[in-house]
Structure formats: structure tokens, C-alpha cells
Amino acid sequence: MTTDEIKAKVGERVTEAEMVAMLKSNPIGTSPNDVRVRSGVLSFSFGPQGVRLTGAEIRTPLPINPSANGLEN
């Protein structure tokens, strides 16, 4: 699922398949230089009426500063 599709579902009931698709689309690590942080944080509410997506925070990795890693030429 794309981030826009996930954001559109906030506050709505989601199926098991949709929940799995959301989790799979937010893998740990978005580039070789990240610190193994999920690319998004999803909040779900579980109750008798089913699963509801209550929040979606999409994260973007910070730009890499080569001098901070000792990679200057």
C-alpha cells in the first residue's frame, strides 16, 4: 500500500489483509544508511467491531551528511 492509501484509511475499519499490506509496506530500513527505523508508525485499535486504523505517521529518513560519517574526500 502507498502512504496516501494508508493515510486515507485512518479512522476506518480495515480487514486483516489490509492490515498486513500496511505493515508490509512499512519495512524496517528504507536505505543502506538508515538506522533500522520503521518508515512509518501505524496505530491500530482492536475491538468487538473489528480492527480500526487510528493513526499513521509516515517517516522520511534524514539526508546523509558525508562529513558526519567520515566519508569526505
Side-chain angles (χ1 to χ4, degrees), residues 1 4 7 13-14 16-19 21 24-28 34-35 37-38 41-42 47 53 57 59 66 68 71-72:
M1 282 187 130
D4 290 335
K7 286 180 184 179
R13 283 180 52 187
V14 294
E16 180 182 347
E18 288 174 318
M19 188 173 122
K24 283 184 175 181
S25 66
N26 283 292
I28 294 177
D34 67 14
V35 290
V37 175
R38 286 211 179 266
V41 176
L42 305 175
L53 178 65
E57 173 193 337
R59 297 179 176 172
L71 300 175
E72 295 181 33

Side-chain angles (χ1 to χ4, degrees), residues 27-72:
I28 294 177
T30 56
S31 76
N33 297 318
D34 67 14
V35 290
R36 307 289 294 167
V37 175
R38 286 211 179 266
S39 58
V41 176
L42 305 175
S43 300
F44 296 95
S45 171
F46 300 88
Q49 290 81 28
V51 178
R52 186 174 303 274
L53 178 65
T54 57
E57 173 193 337
I58 307 303
R59 297 179 176 172
T60 305
L62 295 173
I64 302 300
N65 180 352
S67 62
N69 296 323
L71 300 175
E72 295 181 33

